[in-house]
Amino acid sequence: MTLSSFPSAAPSPAASASSAGLTALGWDAAWEAEFAPYAAQGLLPGRVVRVDRGQCDVVTAAGTVRADTAFVTPHDPLRVICTGDWAAVEAAGNPRYVKAYLPRRTAFVRSTSSQRSEGQILAANVDHAIIAVSLAVELDLGRIERFLALAWESGAQPLVVLTKADLVPDPVALAHLVQDVETAAPGVQVLTVSSLTGEGTDVLAAIVAGGTSVLLGISGAGKSTLANTLLGADVMEVRAAREVDGKGRHTTTTRNLLALPGGGVLIDTPGLRGVGLWDAGTGVGQVFSEIEEFAAECRFHDCAHEAEPGCAVLAAVDAGELPHRRLESYRKLLRENQRIVAKTDARLRAEIRRDWRIKSAEGRANYAAKRGRRV
């Protein structure tokens, strides 16, 4: 079911009191209880299926309405209306307005490319975060770990889907690729699918039938093709990826919420060129859970896992129990996340500057000692 399949709403006050028909979009008793104060004001509940240019499409029990978001556009970019939100919409009016939205259960947020280090919310109230990765090009495990950190931080359950599996006909080679991704994604299901042959699509359809899923990945990962497979129709435009690097052009330009014929709803997103972390410390820890388990055995509780004596993490690397690539990726994401958080946390900025001064002083002292010994 696509947006055009939803009926247009008639401005009926009687219909505004009813939430019947929203169950397929995820409406439940808890949402109804949250909405009670707005129902008392005669507002209409509905789910936001698309947002663009200060307006949004909201599916209500009475049909789809086009509503203005002026009342819910604060200065904080993380509080703007978003695809997946449950909104309180005026029952009538021209134009209609979204008056509020219900507290989000989960939210997928990344940092923007602006120098102000703002967060950008991509999808709300998501149960499953599907990270689409193309097997047509070499795997970028670091990018997968980055997506996973944001997915875990959002509160959703991540799932890595390796698309275009038909391009890897050798089962042994495919098994090695899956193993590499599983190493980078502890505790996360890794599924190989092919929209061409149908491999794995039935398993994926069963997973997404239970709730709201968001489809994430870079351009060329096969997201639109995968969405069409799940929808059972060519709803999303598909363009061929470049053969030289597997990258595609943006075929999805807005985030759209689509009802699936087998149950559940899917939020399809544009290809993401950049996936910056946004206060995702917990998510990073989840992605690298084995490193944090090793770190619990370090001699010093504030061990940086660089050259400290008694470092269990470095010992695991030396013993071949932990790939050095994983440790480097962990360090990189931690540093990036710390920089992002520090831009909005004055106390953390002061702590970072203090640590830097201490390390700089220690470095100068060590350098001076070495020069003294040489003399």
Side-chain angles (χ1 to χ4, degrees), residues 63-317:
T64 303
V65 302
R66 184 74 167 165
D68 195 296
T69 64
F71 282 100
V72 285
T73 307
H75 295 297
D76 184 352
L78 296 180
R79 296 177 59 193
V80 299
I81 201 78
C82 177
T83 302
D85 274 326
W86 284 101
V89 188
E90 290 179 328
N94 187 19
R96 293 193 186 187
Y97 287 94
V98 174
K99 305 296 286 188
Y101 62 84
L102 300 183
R104 295 160 176 156
R105 294 178 182 175
T106 63
F108 193 96
V109 180
R110 68 164 178 174
S111 67
T112 66
S113 58
S114 75
Q115 295 302 312
R116 292 177 295 179
S117 182
E118 294 178 336
Q120 178 189 21
I121 183 165
L122 300 181
N125 302 314
V126 171
D127 301 296
H128 306 285
I130 303 172
I131 301 164
V133 180
S134 173
L135 289 175
V137 295
E138 184 177 355
L139 289 176
D140 187 337
L141 298 178
R143 179 183 288 129
I144 294 173
E145 289 162 344
R146 181 180 292 272
F147 269 110
L148 287 169
L150 292 176
W152 281 121
E153 192 70 32
S154 75
Q157 173 65 46
L159 168 67
V160 178
V161 173
L162 302 179
T163 65
K164 309 180 185 180
D166 53 280
L167 297 180
V168 189
D170 182 356
V172 176
L174 183 60
H176 283 306
L177 291 172
V178 171
Q179 185 177 30
D180 287 343
V181 176
E182 287 176 339
T183 301
V188 176
Q189 183 176 359
V190 179
L191 181 65
T192 58
V193 303
S194 169
S195 297
L196 182 65
T197 66
E199 175 188 347
T201 57
D202 55 340
V203 177
L204 180 58
I207 293 172
V208 300
T212 299
S213 302
V214 61
L215 195 51
L216 303 157
I218 65 171
S219 297
K223 298 187 305 300
S224 296
T225 301
L226 193 58
N228 286 339
T229 300
L230 293 172
L231 289 163
D234 291 336
V235 174
M236 308 305 296
E237 182 185 358
V238 177
R239 295 179 184 173
R242 297 192 305 233
E243 292 185 5
V244 64
D245 56 8
K247 293 182 179 180
R249 291 174 294 174
H250 292 304
T251 54
T252 302
T253 57
T254 58
R255 287 173 281 279
N256 303 286
L257 187 146
L258 309 161
L260 299 173
V265 294
L266 179 70
I267 299 176
D268 190 21
T269 65
L272 301 174
R273 291 189 180 92
V275 194
L277 299 185
W278 175 259
D279 197 5
T282 301
V284 172
Q286 189 79 26
V287 175
F288 299 93
S289 56
E290 82 278 28
I291 296 181
E292 303 224 328
E293 289 176 5
F294 285 126
E297 303 300 322
C298 289
R299 180 184 302 177
F300 304 108
H301 70 87
D302 58 347
C303 182
H305 320 308
E306 294 178 352
E308 295 85 350
C311 176
V313 173
L314 295 179
V317 173

Side-chain angles (χ1 to χ4, degrees), residues 324-339:
H324 186 262
R325 186 207 67 80
R326 286 278 287 170
L327 178 56
E328 285 299 304
S329 184
Y330 176 65
R331 288 168 172 165
K332 179 180 179 180
L333 292 184
L334 279 183
R335 288 194 299 268
E336 178 183 328
N337 192 67
Q338 188 180 52
R339 287 196 299 270

Side-chain angles (χ1 to χ4, degrees), residues 6-43:
F6 294 118
S8 297
S12 169
S16 68
S18 172
S19 60
L22 294 179
T23 304
L25 296 181
W27 186 262
D28 56 29
W31 286 124
E32 189 163 6
E34 289 269 9
F35 193 80
Y38 302 107
Q41 301 172 34
L43 297 175

